Amino acid sequence: MVKKRIAMMVLLASSLAACGGGGGSSSPSDGPEPTPAPPPATDTGGGDNDTPEDDGMLTFTPEPLNVEYWRALVAAEPSFHFVDTSDAYQTPPNPDQCDPGVISTAFSGMVLEAVNETRALHGLAPVTYLESYDPEVAAAALYQHVNQTLTHNPNSSGTCYSQLAVDGSSTSNLSSNPRLSHPVGAVISWIDDSNNLNDVAGVGHRRLILAPELANIAYGQVEGKAALKVLGFTGPSNDVGTAGEFVASPSGDYPYILMPLGGSPTPWHIEMAEGSNFDFSDATITVSAVDTQDALSVDIQATRTDFASWFVADAEYDVEYTITIDDIGGDGAPFTIEYLAKLVHSEIADVSAPLESGDGSVDGRTASVRGNIDFLHDRDSHKVSLEGTVTVSGSTSRYSGMAYYVAVYSPENELVGEGAEPFVLEDLPAGDYTINVSLCSSYRVCYGETLDYLIAVE
């Protein structure tokens, strides 16, 4: 039998110019709570759809990466853990009085921008922010905060219980941080979804934000608890038409910050258009580098009608991969789906943090540096000449909490090594490298104490 092929043709186009802003992350042990129940199925992703060819191949073109936006977000991310109340609220919350306060328009606007920029990566229609639902999500966030819980089903015996809290909690993605943090950090954590407390394999938070029919959102936050309403709106949905056949994440040029490597693993996934009736239960999934054809290890996590998710071992930034899914069942089966994906890092990474007084090289050790992390979101970037095999070590202790992360970038801004403990880099071409020092890693794990540092590169 001849297999039918559906291919997503990814064009690596130049970026769109746009205003930058926003960004954020969650602390290592905190993340989104179980998702509200998604709709029966998630609809198609978009882009320009070509007429099916005689061989059964369908193609569509996703939106190009908005480099300006994602570069600005990455640059701002270290400050996302440390937010002032005056920036977050028009009226600050008063939890003792069961008052959730009023979120600032700046915060809600950055959430809307982050959601729409992420949807644009998949060619999906933008959503609209509906302030009329703010009381729901504010009450939901308040209930989570005062009861120190994450639940989609508030208990009537809980503090600050209300019908608004019930309505908001049952129709929203929820997340938790130990302190007031930037709202785009919550959006990123829902797309990453590696800390999903209910079903990591189901990536439900991600799928709800990327649901093609999603037309509206609302956002509430009280301290570190946040709620993003994605279900239960009155009114029309986005008209998804027949723009595309599936939503896949990652696909095309994808910002690494949404699915960072090195932290808790997060599944890659695909979801077909509603009603496609594709059966992935016997499918085989291959992820291979375009340049070398080397295949990565794939561990399939979930297969449902019109949905599959899988872990990928040893993926790298800035490497383009072909994802091939064979032996898909369904009407007219078997099918094969093939598309491209690249976790873009070097094009959007921020490796130019300024040095302050006391930061610099160590006398007599040309590749060693010292300095001070003067405030919690301080970062220092040092230029050093490296070649061959080098060991990077510093005056850091993960176990005492007096620690920091060291990241080494190539002359082309590629991340070649990172850690809070000593690490070895081998076969480095001669060149001017950048050593970044920060309390936070590229995968959003952070330490919380300012300190002095001394890094030896030998």
Side-chain angles (χ1 to χ4, degrees):
M1 180 181 294
V2 177
K3 293 184 178 182
K4 297 182 179 180
R5 299 182 63 85
I6 300 176
M8 170 178 165
M9 307 304 292
V10 178
L11 303 183
L12 304 179
S14 60
S15 65
L16 301 175
C19 296
S25 68
S26 300
S27 60
S29 61
D30 297 288
E33 203 264 348
T35 40
T42 299
D43 275 333
T44 166
D48 296 329
N49 197 42
D50 295 335
T51 303
E53 305 289 343
D54 292 340
D55 62 1
M57 178 178 289
L58 301 177
T59 67
F60 75 93
T61 305
E63 295 293 329
L65 181 66
N66 184 345
V67 173
E68 296 298 326
Y69 173 80
W70 294 105
R71 182 181 292 152
L73 188 149
V74 169
E77 187 192 14
S79 66
F80 288 173
H81 301 274
F82 317 106
V83 175
D84 291 330
T85 301
S86 60
D87 296 326
Y89 302 103
Q90 294 183 43
T91 304
N94 186 348
D96 292 339
Q97 299 298 318
C98 289
D99 179 2
V102 178
I103 200 80
S104 71
T105 56
F107 258 37
S108 60
M110 285 185 283
V111 169
L112 177 64
E113 184 179 28
V115 168
N116 282 334
E117 287 290 346
T118 303
R119 288 174 62 85
L121 297 169
H122 301 269
L124 299 173
V127 300
T128 300
Y129 193 96
L130 292 186
E131 292 182 358
S132 58
Y133 288 90
D134 278 358
E136 280 189 19
V137 286
L142 174 68
Y143 182 90
Q144 314 302 320
H145 171 68
V146 297
N147 292 284
Q148 287 301 293
T149 187
L150 279 178
T151 177
H152 294 295
N153 302 291
N155 191 304
S156 59
S157 63
T159 304
C160 300
Y161 173 86
S162 67
Q163 187 58 47
L164 284 174
V166 172
D167 294 342
S169 298
S170 62
T171 58
S172 298
N173 284 347
L174 304 174
S175 73
S176 175
N177 268 293
R179 65 178 71 86
L180 180 63
S181 57
H182 199 286
V184 178
V187 177
I188 291 173
S189 69
W190 287 317
I191 297 297
D192 176 9
D193 225 2
S194 59
N195 288 319
N196 190 322
L197 302 180
N198 184 43
D199 180 16
V200 171
V203 290
H205 301 103
R206 183 194 303 165
R207 291 164 56 205
L208 286 166
I209 292 174
L210 298 181
E213 70 275 10
L214 181 66
N216 305 297
I217 61 168
Y219 180 80
Q221 183 172 344
V222 175
E223 295 299 326
K225 298 297 193 291
L228 178 73
K229 185 175 177 66
V230 287
L231 297 172
F233 292 98
T234 301
S237 299
N238 266 325
D239 180 9
V240 298
T242 57
E245 297 299 312
F246 56 82
V247 170
S249 183
S251 57
D253 278 3
Y254 215 71
Y256 80 93
I257 195 172
L258 296 179
M259 301 182 72
L261 306 175
S264 299
T266 185
W268 298 19
H269 92 278
I270 186 170
E271 185 154 23
M272 306 305 298
E274 183 177 4
S276 298
N277 196 32
F278 277 36
D279 180 6
F280 288 90
S281 58
D282 294 321
T284 58
I285 300 174
T286 303
V287 179
S288 57
V290 171
D291 288 345
T292 66
Q293 302 301 307
D294 291 340
L296 304 183
S297 175
V298 172
D299 183 6
I300 297 177
Q301 294 296 297
T303 55
R304 306 167 187 168
T305 301
D306 293 336
F307 171 79
S309 69
W310 58 95
F311 286 127
V312 178
D314 301 322
E316 298 180 17
Y317 293 139
D318 300 316
V319 174
E320 190 170 35
Y321 295 102
T322 300
I323 296 89
T324 305
I325 308 176
D326 284 311
D327 301 320
I328 304 169
D331 298 335
F335 294 96
T336 291
I337 294 174
E338 189 170 89
Y339 58 97
L340 302 176
K342 179 170 67 172
L343 295 175
V344 176
H345 186 278
S346 60
E347 196 171 4
I348 62 175
D350 180 39
V351 297
S352 58
L355 299 178
E356 294 83 30
S357 176
D359 302 334
S361 60
V362 179
D363 292 341
R365 301 170 71 178
T366 57
S368 296
V369 297
R370 62 159 39 103
N372 313 284
I373 302 296
D374 299 313
F375 46 95
L376 293 176
H377 52 90
D378 186 18
R379 291 184 305 120
D380 294 341
S381 295
H382 302 266
K383 290 290 186 180
V384 297
S385 296
L386 300 177
E387 183 179 7
T389 299
V390 299
T391 299
V392 181
S393 59
S395 54
T396 178
S397 171
R398 297 173 59 186
Y399 305 103
S400 69
M402 295 296 293
Y404 51 86
Y405 284 91
V406 180
V408 180
Y409 292 87
S410 73
E412 295 75 33
N413 289 350
E414 296 174 337
L415 181 64
V416 296
E418 179 180 31
E421 294 290 313
F423 56 90
V424 177
L425 302 173
E426 298 180 340
D427 302 323
L428 295 181
D432 292 331
Y433 290 72
T434 302
I435 295 179
N436 264 14
V437 187
S438 171
L439 294 179
C440 297
S441 70
S442 65
Y443 45 90
R444 302 194 297 275
V445 176
C446 293
Y447 294 103
E449 299 290 338
T450 59
L451 42 67
D452 300 334
Y453 62 82
L454 171 63
I455 299 167
V457 183
E458 301 171 323

